[in-house]
Amino acid sequence: MKVIPLRMDVVSKKSYPKDRLLRLLIRPEVRIDHEQTALGRAIYFAKDLEGFEYALKKGRLRRYGLSEAIIEEIRQWMGKNTASSAC
């Protein structure tokens, strides 16, 4: 039996299969890790644009130091992937 790794969405605090989440590498530099293979500390986002926008508005993601370019790239990824399939 194959074990499917789960990761927690930093916005909703729910666990999802790793392949259904967006991995954002925090250290050594903040960038999106589409292949999910880069070494370093990371956070994960589910395909929930409304939840992401709410967390931004309330300042819950401030500690991660996300630039406007990264935030826009996350929005584009969520918009593109939410239309095809939801978590």
Side-chain angles (χ1 to χ4, degrees):
M1 176 170 26
K2 184 177 179 181
V3 177
I4 300 172
L6 298 176
R7 298 292 183 262
M8 186 184 306
D9 172 28
V10 296
V11 175
S12 68
K13 304 295 185 207
K14 293 181 183 178
S15 293
Y16 296 100
K18 183 179 168 184
D19 61 348
R20 295 175 65 187
L21 297 171
L22 175 68
R23 183 174 191 252
L24 185 68
L25 193 64
I26 297 298
R27 293 188 183 98
E29 75 273 354
V30 178
R31 66 180 173 89
I32 293 179
D33 182 20
H34 293 288
E35 294 82 29
Q36 297 193 1
T37 57
L39 297 176
R41 186 164 175 83
I43 57 176
Y44 292 84
F45 291 102
K47 301 170 188 172
D48 180 16
L49 186 57
E50 294 170 4
F52 178 73
E53 293 294 340
Y54 180 78
L56 277 176
K57 181 179 175 184
K58 292 295 184 178
R60 294 182 182 165
L61 302 176
R62 196 171 325 155
R63 72 180 82 165
Y64 302 114
L66 306 180
S67 67
E68 285 299 319
I70 293 292
I71 291 171
E72 189 57 37
E73 196 172 345
I74 292 170
R75 284 179 180 140
Q76 289 175 2
W77 180 84
M78 286 183 182
K80 181 176 67 173
N81 289 303
T82 303
S84 60
S85 66
C87 277

